[in-house]
Amino acid sequence: MIIKINTPIAQHIINDLNSGDYVELTGTIYTARDQAHKKLTDAILANKSLPVPVNSVLYYAGPSPARPGEVIGSCGPTTSARMDQFTPLLVENGFKVCIGKGLRNKNVLKAIKKNKGLYLSAFGGCGALYHNKILKAECIAYKDLLSEAIFKLYVENFPAVVAIDSKGNDIFTKEPL
Amino acid sequence: MRNISTTVITEKVSDLVKVTALYLRPDIMDFFKNAIIKEKDENAKKNLLKLIENAVTAQDKKVPYCQDTGFEIIFCEIGQEVHITDGSLDAAIQEGIKKGSKDGFLRQSIVEDPIIRKNTATNTPGIINYSIVEGDKIKFSCIAKGFGCENKGQVSMLNPTASINDIKDFVLKVIKEAGPNACPPFFIGIGLGGTMDKACELAKKALLEPVGKHNKKKHLATLEKEILTEANNLNTGPLGLGGNLSCIDIKIKEYACHIAGLPVAVNIGCHAVRTKTIVI
Ligand code: SF4
């Protein structure tokens, strides 16, 4: 069964989702990968304003360029583990739902559990499939970073799997890999 | 002597780069179609279907199969009877990478310095490996190597007295550690022997081999098959979500060895391992 959800995701919906659920998201999400995470972290630590509204869903992705007439190029998830060092601080500061691919470390798991957040694993390597689910894209910050900039995306029926739920269950560590 | 102009080389490399990075390899597509019939786990079946849907969308919309269109790696085998005209071969290949990346709307993933990290905005430089062979042709093999999987490669300098099981243990450890992060099912390249750098080169080159073709040496073909079986028992599964398809194939390339060592390099190719070869 596929659970349809809208962003920003209401707290009672977050609470009801379980690790292993297949979901499809509709609404606005923001891309942020390595360098954007570093910059967001620096801004939070320096008490500066952020280019992304608090409570937004962060998507670890760096799209390929759009062909003329297209909204975006290929836009699948990148490896979440590289964001682990930044995620707990971002979760504590309101970014408690994130989407990437693969494993997270214990600190991320703890932060998500404590703040009743969510980590979704998107289908790694399926950038063309995600291209079809993105209806609008706008670069809103760090343009000089090219694909690593922050893009505001409007997505429809964006597929993912709940990897870490708000109770702290992790799909990847449930059984030995 | 056969003259080949750098203008021709740039054009050919440009086309090669563009096509390689966009689509799933046909032999891997066929493999997925067969695998989905055999797969018993319902979730794994569903996840495999996503890979096929992705490959079909990439074809239909000319949008890259994966957004990480990779570091462009070119293996260039030059026949010794070829004479390159009209300038530098190296510059012509780099220009081809630049043009192919632009025309194919590939992602610009290369930064010019590992510390300063400013994007070159051209997807160059690529990595070019040259070798001189007999004949009057040039063979270009391109690997568009994404970094989610490249980051998970490892090398181990085993003792010369290491057993087959020691080699297997190391390779399986690397595959297990790559886990869900490197976009399984994997296409694994293994380099055995030579020096540390030679083993790594062999492991990378092994990714060019087609699915189902085994090493000519019987004992290495057996090792490939045994590693494949054991890797598929790790329950990594497509996209790391479980199931018994963790690896598409295992390819070993070997070279002579020093009496004091046994280098083993493992290059993890993701399900989006994108390679193509042309001859001019
Ligand atoms: S590991 Fe491969 S499939 Fe996954 S994001 Fe990187 S290039 Fe794409």
Side-chain angles (χ1 to χ4, degrees):
Chain A
M1 196 190 70
I2 294 167
I3 303 166
K4 305 260 183 191
I5 44 184
N6 293 319
T7 65
I9 313 176
Q11 189 63 51
H12 72 275
I13 291 177
I14 293 182
N15 296 347
D16 283 349
L17 289 169
N18 294 311
S19 170
D21 285 345
Y22 280 71
V23 298
E24 282 183 3
L25 297 185
T26 295
T28 298
I29 62 176
Y30 293 82
T31 67
R33 47 174 292 153
D34 307 64
Q35 301 300 336
H37 267 72
K38 214 168 151 189
K39 285 183 187 269
L40 288 174
T41 300
D42 289 347
I44 289 172
L45 293 175
N47 260 325
K48 290 207 180 116
S49 67
L50 302 175
V52 185
V54 174
N55 248 330
S56 305
V57 175
L58 297 183
Y59 178 32
Y60 308 156
S64 67
R67 284 181 184 272
E70 297 273 9
V71 168
I72 201 159
S74 186
C75 193
T78 196
T79 309
S80 304
R82 295 195 316 269
M83 266 40 85
D84 281 358
Q85 54 176 319
F86 305 110
T87 302
L89 183 80
L90 289 171
V91 171
E92 291 290 343
N93 282 275
F95 299 100
K96 59 182 180 180
V97 181
C98 47
I99 314 171
K101 69 164 161 103
L103 309 171
R104 308 310 302 262
N105 70 13
K106 283 263 169 335
N107 294 337
V108 174
L109 187 92
K110 276 189 216 149
I112 289 178
K113 189 175 174 186
K114 179 173 161 228
N115 293 279
K116 297 212 167 308
L118 210 54
Y119 164 56
L120 306 173
S121 192
F123 297 98
C126 294
L129 186 141
Y130 285 104
H131 161 94
N132 273 354
K133 311 293 177 188
I134 299 167
L135 306 191
K136 285 184 211 159
E138 183 195 348
C139 179
I140 59 149
Y142 316 141
K143 209 170 184 162
D144 55 314
L145 292 177
L146 303 176
S147 70
E148 294 206 80
I150 294 185
F151 292 85
K152 180 182 180 185
L153 307 178
Y154 182 81
V155 303
E156 214 170 74
N157 299 324
F158 177 108
V161 180
V162 177
I164 299 177
D165 63 24
S166 56
K167 283 83 72 182
N169 302 305
D170 183 348
I171 192 174
F172 296 122
T173 52
K174 204 167 48 185
E175 44 192 63
L177 282 164
Chain B
M1 270 298 173
R2 175 177 167 224
N3 286 338
I4 301 182
S5 162
T6 52
T7 320
V8 175
I9 290 170
T10 296
E11 273 314 308
K12 295 281 183 192
V13 170
S14 164
D15 285 348
L16 175 67
V17 161
K18 192 167 78 178
V19 175
T20 307
L22 282 179
Y23 308 123
L24 184 64
R25 262 169 45 174
D27 58 333
I28 296 182
M29 181 66 158
D30 290 344
F31 176 87
F32 286 158
K33 286 181 180 162
N34 281 324
I36 207 160
I37 300 168
K38 283 191 246 156
E39 182 61 64
K40 290 191 185 70
D41 183 305
E42 274 312 307
N43 269 350
K45 232 186 172 75
K46 211 155 56 179
N47 299 332
L48 263 176
L49 207 59
K50 283 266 185 290
L51 301 185
I52 294 175
E53 186 188 338
N54 188 50
V56 172
T57 307
Q59 291 280 356
D60 287 354
K61 296 204 130 183
K62 288 194 166 51
V63 65
Y65 178 85
C66 176
Q67 75 289 337
D68 186 354
T69 51
F71 212 140
E72 297 297 342
I73 297 151
I74 307 278
F75 288 97
C76 174
E77 285 180 15
I78 310 167
Q80 60 195 19
E81 286 153 46
V82 172
H83 176 223
I84 311 281
T85 60
D86 308 315
S88 149
L89 170 63
D90 208 70
I93 297 174
Q94 297 290 5
E95 191 55 33
I97 296 174
K98 193 166 157 182
K99 186 170 183 301
S101 300
K102 186 162 179 277
D103 295 352
F105 291 85
L106 308 188
R107 196 175 75 178
Q108 295 147 353
S109 307
I110 306 304
V111 295
E112 67 185 30
D113 177 283
I115 310 293
I116 299 168
R117 306 199 74 85
K118 189 178 181 316
N119 199 303
T120 61
T122 58
N123 217 25
T124 54
I127 296 174
I128 311 170
N129 299 282
Y130 295 100
S131 50
I132 308 284
V133 296
E134 284 181 9
D136 63 354
K137 300 199 165 44
I138 308 182
K139 180 158 124 184
F140 290 106
S141 297
C142 173
I143 305 181
K145 192 65 165 63
F147 243 67
C149 55
E150 184 68 10
N151 275 336
K152 293 294 177 185
Q154 294 185 38
V155 59
S156 179
M157 305 301 280
L158 296 179
N159 284 329
T161 49
S163 67
I164 285 286
N165 277 339
D166 293 333
I167 298 173
K168 267 198 215 167
D169 286 350
F170 172 66
V171 175
L172 288 166
K173 175 186 97 87
V174 178
I175 296 175
K176 194 170 165 179
E177 283 175 13
N181 293 13
C183 298
F186 302 132
F187 192 93
I188 307 287
I190 300 172
L192 276 188
T195 49
M196 187 179 86
D197 51 318
K198 182 69 184 174
C200 290
E201 184 199 317
L202 291 171
K204 177 65 61 45
K205 251 189 162 163
L207 302 180
L208 294 167
E209 297 294 328
V211 176
K213 186 183 156 203
H214 289 289
N215 193 295
K216 282 200 196 91
K217 292 185 182 167
K218 211 169 149 216
H219 67 292
L220 294 179
T222 305
L223 184 56
E224 289 176 337
K225 288 177 200 160
E226 287 177 3
I227 294 173
L228 182 61
T229 306
E230 291 185 38
N232 283 336
N233 286 336
L234 292 171
N235 193 35
T236 305
L239 304 160
L241 295 166
N244 51 20
L245 178 63
S246 303
C247 288
I248 299 164
D249 215 346
I250 309 284
K251 302 289 173 195
I252 298 177
K253 277 195 183 291
E254 80 289 0
Y255 197 76
C257 223
H258 190 277
I259 50 171
L262 171 44
V264 184
V266 183
N267 195 300
I268 305 279
C270 54
H271 66 77
V273 65
R274 287 146 296 174
T275 72
K276 196 174 168 61
T277 296
I278 54 162
V279 177
I280 57 175

